[in-house]
Amino acid sequence: MTKPQEKPLLLNTQSSTVYGQPMPMRQPVPPPPGQAAPPPQIGSPSKIQLSNASLAVATAKKAKSYLTAGKVWAVIGPRGETDIKAAILYDGTAVAVLHFNPEDGSILLLGVHPIVGMTTDQIENIKKEVPAIVEGLEVLDGAEYREPENAWVVPLAYKNMIIAHLKIYVDGIHIIPDYPAN
């Protein structure tokens, strides 16, 4: 008999605790008076962080079955370009954002930003397509560590294109919301 799959936890953003446990804050320790601060350590993540990479990927794979389509909206950029976005939700909270081409409504790779003016015709079509895209997402076997955010970033692919990232807290078990999308 197999054990039922546990649902990953969403990072509690209302306080400095993660489900009752204090979040580890990495504060620099000032040097003693009269001494210079040591140079920052580049490229030396702790053993805990390294071992949590595979845990973060496993958490993302567990969370995949709970991801749902969220709202679709358009943003007008400073040059008049339109960016059509759709939220990916986990427990009703946006955890990633998809980007769409405003000309034809097609999903965009991360990093592609067409410079096109507003076309509202595509939004209704995109709303219909987003659930199938979320269903077809694939969690890739790998994680990138982003030190400033103290988080793992696991790529999400659709039809062999990386279209979004799922952020997992450094502990490898808590999913981080996409704060701007929320």
Side-chain angles (χ1 to χ4, degrees):
M1 188 169 154
T2 61
K3 183 180 169 184
Q5 184 177 345
E6 291 183 28
K7 187 174 180 183
L9 301 172
L10 190 63
L11 187 68
N12 181 354
T13 59
Q14 300 303 314
S15 68
S16 63
T17 61
V18 178
Y19 292 88
Q21 300 298 318
M23 287 192 332
M25 295 296 176
R26 299 177 353 173
Q27 305 242 339
V29 178
Q35 291 184 2
Q41 294 181 351
I42 299 173
S44 59
S46 72
K47 292 178 184 176
I48 294 171
Q49 293 169 343
L50 291 176
S51 66
N52 286 346
S54 58
L55 183 57
V57 172
T59 297
K61 288 184 177 192
K62 286 180 193 174
K64 196 265 180 211
S65 62
Y66 299 102
L67 297 178
T68 58
K71 69 177 182 173
V72 176
W73 72 99
V75 177
I76 307 299
R79 294 179 288 177
E81 72 275 15
T82 301
D83 190 6
I84 299 178
K85 302 178 180 185
I88 298 175
L89 304 179
Y90 179 81
D91 269 355
T93 301
V95 293
V97 174
L98 303 175
H99 297 266
F100 293 87
N101 187 332
E103 288 184 311
D104 61 9
S106 61
I107 188 85
L108 293 174
L109 290 157
L110 278 183
V112 175
H113 304 285
I115 301 174
V116 179
M118 184 63 179
T119 57
T120 56
D121 304 349
Q122 299 302 331
I123 291 181
E124 290 305 315
N125 294 334
I126 291 169
K127 285 180 183 179
K128 295 173 189 172
E129 292 179 32
V130 173
I133 292 170
V134 171
E135 183 69 29
L137 285 176
E138 179 184 352
V139 177
L140 299 184
D141 283 325
E144 171 188 350
Y145 178 71
R146 293 193 181 161
E147 186 177 10
E149 300 169 72
N150 207 23
W152 294 104
V153 179
V154 180
L156 301 175
Y158 178 71
K159 296 185 177 179
N160 298 319
M161 301 180 297
I162 296 176
I163 60 170
H165 289 118
L166 192 59
K167 288 185 183 177
I168 310 292
Y169 189 62
V170 70
D171 63 4
I173 58 173
H174 292 91
I175 298 168
I176 299 175
D178 186 314
Y179 298 111
N182 282 304

Short mmCIF file of all heavy atoms in Angstrom, two decimals, residues 17-50:
data_model
loop_
_atom_site.label_atom_id
_atom_site.label_comp_id
_atom_site.label_asym_id
_atom_site.label_seq_id
_atom_site.Cartn_x
_atom_site.Cartn_y
_atom_site.Cartn_z
N THR A 17 7.70 33.93 10.23
CA THR A 17 7.76 32.52 10.58
C THR A 17 7.26 31.69 9.43
O THR A 17 6.48 32.14 8.60
CB THR A 17 6.88 32.21 11.83
OG1 THR A 17 5.54 32.53 11.53
CG2 THR A 17 7.35 32.97 13.05
N VAL A 18 7.74 30.47 9.37
CA VAL A 18 7.27 29.51 8.39
C VAL A 18 6.53 28.44 9.17
O VAL A 18 7.15 27.61 9.83
CB VAL A 18 8.46 28.89 7.61
CG1 VAL A 18 7.95 27.87 6.63
CG2 VAL A 18 9.25 29.97 6.90
N TYR A 19 5.21 28.51 9.16
CA TYR A 19 4.36 27.56 9.86
C TYR A 19 4.84 27.30 11.28
O TYR A 19 5.12 26.19 11.68
CB TYR A 19 4.22 26.26 9.05
CG TYR A 19 3.43 26.50 7.80
CD1 TYR A 19 4.04 26.90 6.63
CD2 TYR A 19 2.05 26.40 7.79
CE1 TYR A 19 3.31 27.17 5.50
CE2 TYR A 19 1.31 26.66 6.67
CZ TYR A 19 1.94 27.05 5.52
OH TYR A 19 1.21 27.32 4.40
N GLY A 20 4.98 28.40 12.03
CA GLY A 20 5.32 28.30 13.45
C GLY A 20 6.81 28.27 13.74
O GLY A 20 7.21 28.44 14.87
N GLN A 21 7.65 28.07 12.72
CA GLN A 21 9.10 28.02 12.93
C GLN A 21 9.71 29.31 12.40
O GLN A 21 9.35 29.78 11.34
CB GLN A 21 9.70 26.83 12.18
CG GLN A 21 9.15 25.49 12.62
CD GLN A 21 9.42 25.21 14.08
OE1 GLN A 21 10.50 25.46 14.56
NE2 GLN A 21 8.42 24.71 14.79
N PRO A 22 10.65 29.91 13.16
CA PRO A 22 11.27 31.15 12.67
C PRO A 22 12.01 30.90 11.36
O PRO A 22 12.64 29.87 11.19
CB PRO A 22 12.26 31.52 13.76
CG PRO A 22 11.98 30.62 14.91
CD PRO A 22 11.15 29.49 14.44
N MET A 23 11.87 31.84 10.43
CA MET A 23 12.60 31.73 9.17
C MET A 23 14.05 32.10 9.43
O MET A 23 14.33 33.08 10.12
CB MET A 23 12.02 32.68 8.11
CG MET A 23 10.70 32.24 7.59
SD MET A 23 10.11 33.09 6.11
CE MET A 23 10.79 34.68 6.12
N PRO A 24 14.99 31.33 8.89
CA PRO A 24 16.38 31.68 9.10
C PRO A 24 16.73 32.93 8.31
O PRO A 24 16.59 32.97 7.11
CB PRO A 24 17.14 30.46 8.56
CG PRO A 24 16.19 29.76 7.68
CD PRO A 24 14.82 30.11 8.15
N MET A 25 17.10 33.97 9.00
CA MET A 25 17.48 35.22 8.35
C MET A 25 18.99 35.27 8.29
O MET A 25 19.66 35.04 9.29
CB MET A 25 16.95 36.44 9.13
CG MET A 25 15.45 36.51 9.14
SD MET A 25 14.87 36.75 7.46
CE MET A 25 13.14 36.68 7.73
N ARG A 26 19.52 35.57 7.13
CA ARG A 26 20.96 35.64 6.95
C ARG A 26 21.38 37.09 7.04
O ARG A 26 21.32 37.83 6.08
CB ARG A 26 21.34 35.04 5.61
CG ARG A 26 20.96 33.61 5.51
CD ARG A 26 21.27 33.04 4.17
NE ARG A 26 21.73 34.09 3.27
CZ ARG A 26 22.20 33.87 2.08
NH1 ARG A 26 22.29 32.68 1.61
NH2 ARG A 26 22.59 34.86 1.30
N GLN A 27 21.79 37.48 8.23
CA GLN A 27 22.22 38.84 8.46
C GLN A 27 23.74 38.86 8.53
O GLN A 27 24.33 38.03 9.21
CB GLN A 27 21.64 39.36 9.76
CG GLN A 27 20.13 39.23 9.81
CD GLN A 27 19.47 40.56 9.92
OE1 GLN A 27 20.08 41.51 10.33
NE2 GLN A 27 18.23 40.63 9.54
N PRO A 28 24.39 39.80 7.86
CA PRO A 28 25.84 39.87 7.94
C PRO A 28 26.27 40.28 9.35
O PRO A 28 25.63 41.11 9.99
CB PRO A 28 26.21 40.92 6.91
CG PRO A 28 24.97 41.71 6.68
CD PRO A 28 23.82 40.81 6.99
N VAL A 29 27.34 39.68 9.79
CA VAL A 29 27.90 40.01 11.11
C VAL A 29 28.92 41.11 10.89
O VAL A 29 29.85 40.95 10.09
CB VAL A 29 28.56 38.77 11.75
CG1 VAL A 29 29.18 39.12 13.07
CG2 VAL A 29 27.55 37.65 11.88
N PRO A 30 28.76 42.25 11.59
CA PRO A 30 29.72 43.33 11.39
C PRO A 30 31.09 42.93 11.94
O PRO A 30 31.18 42.18 12.90
CB PRO A 30 29.12 44.50 12.17
CG PRO A 30 28.19 43.89 13.14
CD PRO A 30 27.74 42.59 12.54
N PRO A 31 32.18 43.44 11.32
CA PRO A 31 33.51 43.11 11.81
C PRO A 31 33.78 43.82 13.13
O PRO A 31 33.13 44.81 13.46
CB PRO A 31 34.42 43.64 10.70
CG PRO A 31 33.63 44.74 10.07
CD PRO A 31 32.20 44.31 10.17
N PRO A 32 34.74 43.32 13.90
CA PRO A 32 35.09 44.01 15.15
C PRO A 32 35.59 45.42 14.84
O PRO A 32 36.09 45.68 13.73
CB PRO A 32 36.23 43.15 15.72
CG PRO A 32 36.14 41.84 15.02
CD PRO A 32 35.49 42.10 13.70
N PRO A 33 35.48 46.34 15.80
CA PRO A 33 35.92 47.73 15.56
C PRO A 33 37.38 47.76 15.12
O PRO A 33 38.23 47.06 15.65
CB PRO A 33 35.74 48.41 16.91
CG PRO A 33 34.74 47.58 17.63
CD PRO A 33 34.91 46.18 17.13
N GLY A 34 37.65 48.56 14.07
CA GLY A 34 38.99 48.73 13.58
C GLY A 34 39.42 47.69 12.55
O GLY A 34 40.52 47.76 12.02
N GLN A 35 38.57 46.70 12.24
CA GLN A 35 38.93 45.68 11.25
C GLN A 35 38.01 45.79 10.04
O GLN A 35 36.84 46.15 10.16
CB GLN A 35 38.79 44.27 11.85
CG GLN A 35 39.82 43.96 12.91
CD GLN A 35 39.69 42.52 13.38
OE1 GLN A 35 38.87 41.77 12.90
NE2 GLN A 35 40.52 42.15 14.34
N ALA A 36 38.58 45.47 8.89
CA ALA A 36 37.80 45.51 7.65
C ALA A 36 36.92 44.27 7.55
O ALA A 36 37.27 43.21 8.08
CB ALA A 36 38.73 45.59 6.44
N ALA A 37 35.80 44.42 6.90
CA ALA A 37 34.91 43.28 6.69
C ALA A 37 35.55 42.31 5.71
O ALA A 37 36.20 42.74 4.75
CB ALA A 37 33.56 43.75 6.16
N PRO A 38 35.41 41.00 5.94
CA PRO A 38 35.97 40.04 4.98
C PRO A 38 35.21 40.11 3.66
O PRO A 38 34.04 40.50 3.64
CB PRO A 38 35.75 38.68 5.66
CG PRO A 38 34.62 38.91 6.60
CD PRO A 38 34.71 40.35 7.02
N PRO A 39 35.86 39.75 2.55
CA PRO A 39 35.15 39.79 1.26
C PRO A 39 34.02 38.77 1.27
O PRO A 39 34.09 37.76 1.97
CB PRO A 39 36.23 39.41 0.25
CG PRO A 39 37.26 38.68 1.03
CD PRO A 39 37.21 39.24 2.42
N PRO A 40 32.96 39.03 0.51
CA PRO A 40 31.85 38.07 0.47
C PRO A 40 32.32 36.76 -0.14
O PRO A 40 33.17 36.74 -1.02
CB PRO A 40 30.80 38.75 -0.42
CG PRO A 40 31.58 39.74 -1.22
CD PRO A 40 32.75 40.15 -0.38
N GLN A 41 31.75 35.67 0.35
CA GLN A 41 32.08 34.36 -0.19
C GLN A 41 31.23 34.12 -1.42
O GLN A 41 30.01 34.06 -1.33
CB GLN A 41 31.83 33.27 0.85
CG GLN A 41 32.76 33.37 2.04
CD GLN A 41 32.50 32.25 3.03
OE1 GLN A 41 31.54 31.52 2.92
NE2 GLN A 41 33.37 32.14 4.01
N ILE A 42 31.88 34.00 -2.54
CA ILE A 42 31.17 33.80 -3.80
C ILE A 42 31.25 32.33 -4.17
O ILE A 42 32.31 31.73 -4.15
CB ILE A 42 31.76 34.66 -4.92
CG1 ILE A 42 31.62 36.13 -4.52
CG2 ILE A 42 31.12 34.38 -6.25
CD1 ILE A 42 32.30 37.09 -5.44
N GLY A 43 30.13 31.77 -4.50
CA GLY A 43 30.10 30.39 -4.97
C GLY A 43 30.37 29.36 -3.89
O GLY A 43 30.88 28.29 -4.19
N SER A 44 30.03 29.65 -2.64
CA SER A 44 30.26 28.67 -1.59
C SER A 44 28.98 28.41 -0.80
O SER A 44 28.89 28.74 0.37
CB SER A 44 31.38 29.13 -0.65
OG SER A 44 31.03 30.37 -0.08
N PRO A 45 27.94 27.86 -1.44
CA PRO A 45 26.72 27.56 -0.70
C PRO A 45 26.98 26.47 0.33
O PRO A 45 27.85 25.63 0.16
CB PRO A 45 25.74 27.09 -1.78
CG PRO A 45 26.60 26.66 -2.90
CD PRO A 45 27.86 27.47 -2.82
N SER A 46 26.22 26.51 1.40
CA SER A 46 26.42 25.53 2.46
C SER A 46 25.99 24.14 2.01
O SER A 46 25.28 23.98 1.02
CB SER A 46 25.62 25.94 3.70
OG SER A 46 24.24 25.74 3.46
N LYS A 47 26.42 23.14 2.75
CA LYS A 47 26.05 21.76 2.42
C LYS A 47 24.55 21.57 2.50
O LYS A 47 23.98 20.80 1.75
CB LYS A 47 26.77 20.80 3.37
CG LYS A 47 28.26 20.77 3.15
CD LYS A 47 28.94 19.86 4.15
CE LYS A 47 30.43 19.92 3.96
NZ LYS A 47 31.15 19.14 4.94
N ILE A 48 23.90 22.29 3.41
CA ILE A 48 22.44 22.18 3.54
C ILE A 48 21.79 22.64 2.25
O ILE A 48 20.90 22.00 1.72
CB ILE A 48 21.93 23.01 4.73
CG1 ILE A 48 22.44 22.41 6.04
CG2 ILE A 48 20.41 23.09 4.73
CD1 ILE A 48 22.17 23.27 7.25
N GLN A 49 22.25 23.76 1.70
CA GLN A 49 21.67 24.27 0.47
C GLN A 49 21.87 23.29 -0.67
O GLN A 49 20.96 23.05 -1.45
CB GLN A 49 22.28 25.62 0.12
CG GLN A 49 21.92 26.72 1.09
CD GLN A 49 22.75 27.96 0.87
OE1 GLN A 49 23.79 27.93 0.23
NE2 GLN A 49 22.30 29.07 1.43
N LEU A 50 23.06 22.71 -0.78
CA LEU A 50 23.33 21.77 -1.87
C LEU A 50 22.45 20.54 -1.77
O LEU A 50 21.91 20.08 -2.76
CB LEU A 50 24.81 21.37 -1.87
CG LEU A 50 25.78 22.46 -2.27
CD1 LEU A 50 27.21 21.97 -2.14
CD2 LEU A 50 25.51 22.94 -3.68
#
